[in-house]
Amino acid sequence: MQAEGILNAEGISATANFPIATVRDAFPALNRTSGFIFFDNAAGAQIPQIVFDAVNHHLLECNVQRGGRYAKSREVDAMIVRARQSVADLVNARDPDEIAFGMNATSFIRLVSLAIGQTLGARNEIVVTEMDHEANVATWLASERSGAKLLWWKVREDGCLHVGDLIPLLSSKTRLVACTLTSNAIGSIVDVAAAATAAHASGAEIFIDAVHYGPHGLIDVQALDCDYLVCSGYKIFAPHMGFLWGRRKLLQALPTFREDFIPDEPPGKIEAGTFIYENVAGMDAAVLYLEDLGNRLSAADKLSDKPLSRRGALQRAMTRIRSYEQGLTLEMLDVLNGCRAVVYGIADTNRTYQRVPTLCFNLPNIAPARVTQELARRNIGVRDGHMYAPRLMKRLGLAPESGAVRASLVHYNTREEVREFGSALAEIGRSC
Ligand SMILES: Cc1ncc(COP(=O)(O)O)c(C=O)c1O
């Protein structure tokens, strides 16, 4: 089944009617750093005031350990329950206990890969991709020490992963496919719903890295029909933390480290030790921010008199964010073409629905580090290098040490910023 809207051209319009001024007002950092252009969001996004307030509230009012009999401790317990439900709503989990909180995405991938490594048997093949962030590659490569055999799902000349290339790699020996939903380097979206269907047909499981897709569109673990999915809160307008979703039955079966008195049940068995409560409170508030945005958009569009369900509001917010971001992508492609930049990944303006506004490029004859340095001098934050995807860089014909320039936008970025970026880039192209 095609996950709703993920790789669907329908409903994609341009930047019109998106309440960008209201959105930007919600993010205090955007107004405090006069004129700075945040185009490095793939490395971490800004947070709305409501998230800041939730973190503050936790630290000021209930910065205590959970599980006590006193009121402040109970408040922490209640916040964690709320946050689990919020994240379950965000990814459409069947059960909030399928959500585990922790440090970051990498540590969850490591946790699951260590556990899977202990259960390999005759099904010992793991498929990884050339497109993924190294967090979802190196962790699985490490399971070769437990007897895993790694197979590579390769990126084609067009810079995309095609499910047709995955199918021949699958067999009765495949234990798991580890694959990204969207490339953090070049922004291409992978048809992971089709990959899940293929993996399941061979009796394998699929582990999805949704870190880069999270801020750009609606995640639906049921529609994707995946088995595990990981996200980083700090990419989705929350503080530094990560969360894992897994099918309850699979999480129950995973051998994980836990103290003897902790029940062998999710989420406790996945969350050894104490996670950062204030950041989980912030993650809860980030979901509230998106829900509130969805409700406002729905009211402004006068779509229905009935209040939206929470999931409905999240769906509305993410659909409109996706649509607004398509417009930003088109503007970025226009600017980059104007500067004669080589764009890696999908550059066809008719295929922008297959990507997010994460643009990876090089200017002719100018080193990527020079470009980012010059942009930094002009108050624009972008990144250069291999973006933790050195294998993809090689596949694109780039030296991983120098890589490319990446400008990564989210829904609080504007067309005006894109134009300013374009003028700066043109100037750099002329002067360097
Ligand atoms: C696609 C992708 N996967 C995984 C990670 C690692 O995330 P974390 O820093 O939460 O471990 C990142 C970080 O940039 C990423 O972009």
Side-chain angles (χ1 to χ4, degrees):
M1 174 167 61
Q2 172 66 65
E4 23 171 351
I6 285 195
L7 275 170
N8 188 347
E10 276 166 38
I12 299 297
S13 63
T15 50
N17 297 330
F18 191 71
I20 186 65
T22 315
V23 164
R24 285 183 72 83
D25 275 351
F27 288 82
L30 302 182
N31 301 317
R32 288 172 76 88
T33 40
S34 77
F36 181 74
I37 297 184
F38 288 89
F39 273 11
D40 189 24
N41 297 291
Q46 300 307 302
I47 61 169
Q49 181 71 45
I50 185 178
V51 169
F52 185 77
D53 292 344
V55 174
N56 241 0
H57 173 85
H58 179 90
L59 291 173
L60 285 172
E61 305 296 338
C62 53
N63 189 22
V64 297
Q65 184 55 284
R66 64 177 155 166
R69 295 188 199 280
Y70 51 99
K72 282 187 187 299
S73 183
R74 292 211 163 127
E75 203 182 319
V76 179
D77 288 334
M79 178 278 289
I80 294 168
V81 169
R82 256 195 333 269
R84 240 185 256 292
Q85 185 60 60
S86 292
V87 173
D89 292 335
L90 182 69
V91 302
N92 204 24
R94 294 172 190 86
D95 177 347
D97 284 350
E98 292 179 328
I99 304 293
F101 293 125
M103 198 63 188
N104 52 40
T106 307
S107 53
F108 275 126
I109 306 173
R110 174 82 175 138
L111 180 147
V112 176
S113 64
L114 279 174
I116 299 265
Q118 292 175 50
T119 63
L120 287 173
R123 269 190 190 271
N124 69 337
E125 294 185 354
I126 293 175
V127 180
V128 288
T129 88
E130 277 184 334
M131 181 176 278
D132 271 79
H133 186 286
E134 196 63 8
N136 201 27
V137 178
T139 35
W140 299 104
L141 280 175
S143 51
E144 281 178 326
R145 288 196 288 273
S146 324
K149 184 176 164 210
L150 272 284
L151 279 75
W152 289 93
W153 181 5
K154 295 201 168 148
V155 168
R156 277 200 205 163
E157 286 299 307
D158 64 356
C160 295
L161 284 174
H162 293 257
V163 176
D165 298 335
L166 168 67
I167 291 168
L169 304 175
L170 301 170
S171 73
S172 58
K173 288 190 178 159
T174 318
R175 175 71 175 82
L176 181 129
V177 176
C179 149
T180 193
L181 176 44
T182 301
S183 163
N184 65 297
I186 58 174
S188 324
I189 298 174
V190 181
D191 191 353
V192 292
T197 305
H200 291 155
S202 73
E205 292 163 6
I206 186 160
F207 185 107
I208 301 299
D209 176 347
V211 171
H212 193 66
Y213 186 76
H216 302 293
L218 189 74
I219 296 174
D220 187 335
V221 293
Q222 296 188 50
L224 293 174
D225 196 26
C226 49
D227 298 299
Y228 305 96
L229 179 140
V230 75
C231 269
S232 309
Y234 70 97
K235 310 281 167 94
I236 324 178
F237 321 115
H240 286 92
M241 55 82 72
F243 63 85
L244 172 81
W245 167 86
R247 279 183 204 274
R248 195 187 171 99
K249 274 204 163 135
L250 297 179
L251 294 180
Q252 278 169 329
L254 274 191
T256 59
F257 166 78
R258 68 197 160 83
E259 293 90 340
D260 287 344
F261 45 82
I262 303 282
D264 192 15
E265 281 291 326
K269 67 177 285 187
I270 317 285
E271 294 174 340
T274 301
F275 48 80
I276 305 176
Y277 299 145
E278 58 270 30
N279 291 356
V280 168
M283 184 68 232
D284 180 36
V287 178
L288 287 184
Y289 159 74
L290 291 169
E291 179 187 356
D292 182 57
L293 178 63
N295 281 322
R296 280 166 191 253
L297 287 165
S298 173
D301 294 347
K302 298 194 176 58
L303 284 182
S304 156
D305 292 339
K306 283 196 211 141
L308 289 172
S309 67
R310 188 175 210 201
R311 179 74 186 162
L314 290 169
Q315 183 169 6
R316 184 86 197 124
M318 296 321 284
T319 307
R320 286 294 302 278
I321 283 176
R322 186 124 163 71
S323 163
Y324 174 73
E325 289 185 2
Q326 295 299 303
L328 292 180
T329 300
L330 286 171
E331 305 261 345
M332 282 294 284
L333 286 172
D334 190 42
V335 155
L336 291 170
N337 282 336
C339 295
R340 294 189 302 114
V342 178
V343 176
Y344 303 103
I346 297 165
D348 179 346
T349 51
N350 293 315
R351 291 176 59 205
T352 54
Y353 65 92
Q354 293 174 347
R355 59 147 44 253
V356 299
T358 301
L359 283 298
C360 191
F361 64 93
N362 271 322
L363 288 186
N365 305 320
I366 312 181
R370 179 89 196 272
V371 175
T372 54
Q373 189 66 56
E374 289 295 325
L375 286 168
R377 281 203 318 120
R378 292 163 175 83
N379 234 3
I380 301 175
V382 297
R383 190 162 290 266
D384 62 276
H386 55 58
M387 313 303 151
Y388 281 63
R391 296 158 209 274
L392 177 62
M393 292 294 143
K394 274 194 201 151
R395 189 77 185 90
L396 297 169
L398 295 166
E401 312 79 60
S402 46
V405 183
R406 180 186 69 186
S408 52
L409 283 63
V410 290
H411 72 289
Y412 52 62
N413 291 123
T414 66
R415 300 172 68 169
E416 290 70 31
E417 287 178 325
V418 174
R419 282 196 212 112
E420 215 175 302
F421 165 81
S423 307
L425 205 61
E427 202 179 288
I428 294 164
R430 281 193 301 271
S431 63
C432 292

